[in-house]
Amino acid sequence: MSSGLWQAGLKAWYGPATPWVRRIRSYRPDRRGRLVLRRWLRVAFSRTIALGAAAVVGGLLLTGREDALFVAAMPLALAAFCWRCSRIGIVLRPGEIVRYSVFHEVVVPAGAVRRLHRDSDRGNLVLETQAGEEVDFLWFDASLWDLLYDFSMVCQDAMWAHARQSRGEGHVPSSAALVRRFTWSPVGDLLALSAVACPVAGLIGRL
């Protein structure tokens, strides 16, 4: 993904032009050519809760209580869910727009994007493809980031600019269909597996 994305779509005013805000919204592709858009305040908050819950479990297990394995299941489940929530984001990669939710990802061929609009029933951002399929971006509207600058509009402009650029470069035909699939999270799934394994191990230990 070239610098044309920024020239095409990210010259709008998204907040006070202070050095700190400029640094926050100076999004650039990574080494693999991907642009990652996440609400980092939400990421930090979710992962702090997840790590705190995991620490509570460690403390419970160190106490040696008989019911520690049963009690640990709930904080482990909370940690697994919070870790998955921290993965919510939008990834723009060559020829594709990927939306990550808690359990699924939706891969939209950038060349197949018809429009981005907010005229849905809930008024949130929706991506519509040439085939009439829709992808909801409810998680990216009305957050604390928008008190600082309009991150929701940044996401919308970045996706639209990326779609225009990909269409112009002919990366993906407009007839390509989007793909929805379950996503694996090594950390989140390990925590979820532990939440199930702890009470099972407790029951086995009592037999």
Side-chain angles (χ1 to χ4, degrees):
M1 195 161 46
S2 69
S3 60
L5 169 61
W6 312 107
Q7 297 168 358
L10 291 183
K11 283 191 173 181
W13 187 87
Y14 299 112
T18 63
W20 191 60
V21 172
R22 285 181 184 276
R23 194 179 312 117
I24 290 175
R25 57 186 172 90
S26 61
Y27 296 99
R28 292 292 183 273
D30 61 18
R31 294 178 181 178
R32 290 187 286 177
R34 306 180 314 159
L35 173 67
V36 180
L37 298 167
R38 284 197 176 99
R39 298 192 184 279
W40 296 107
L41 195 61
R42 178 184 293 159
V43 172
F45 183 68
S46 299
R47 295 197 175 182
T48 298
I49 293 177
L51 292 174
V56 168
V57 171
L60 280 171
L61 297 179
L62 288 175
T63 62
R65 289 173 47 178
E66 292 185 2
D67 61 345
L69 288 174
F70 297 96
V71 177
M74 185 60 69
L76 281 172
L78 174 64
F81 179 73
C82 288
W83 193 272
R84 276 195 163 271
C85 286
S86 73
R87 301 178 71 246
I88 293 171
I90 301 170
V91 177
L92 308 180
R93 57 195 188 199
E96 293 178 334
I97 296 173
V98 185
R99 186 209 68 181
Y100 288 95
S101 59
V102 179
F103 296 106
H104 294 84
E105 68 177 19
V106 181
V107 181
V108 183
V113 176
R114 179 186 176 191
R115 63 173 181 147
L116 288 151
H117 63 89
R118 296 180 182 273
D119 53 3
S120 62
D121 294 338
R122 289 178 292 181
N124 55 290
L125 180 62
V126 174
L127 182 153
E128 182 181 342
T129 68
Q130 301 287 354
E133 299 169 297
E134 292 189 341
V135 180
D136 191 290
F137 289 89
L138 178 64
W139 288 94
F140 300 91
D141 281 328
S143 79
L144 290 176
W145 273 123
D146 290 335
L147 298 177
L148 178 65
Y149 73 106
D150 197 348
F151 182 74
S152 304
M153 189 60 67
V154 170
C155 293
Q156 181 175 343
D157 287 353
M159 286 191 289
W160 184 238
H162 183 56
R164 282 204 316 261
Q165 181 182 355
S166 298
R167 191 157 46 236
E169 295 176 355
H171 282 165
V172 181
S174 60
S175 59
L178 61 83
V179 177
R180 303 176 190 268
R181 58 193 174 208
F182 177 80
T183 55
W184 299 97
S185 170
V187 175
D189 293 343
L190 179 61
L191 289 169
L193 183 62
S194 300
V196 175
C198 279
V200 171
L203 286 173
I204 293 175
R206 291 190 175 187
L207 294 179

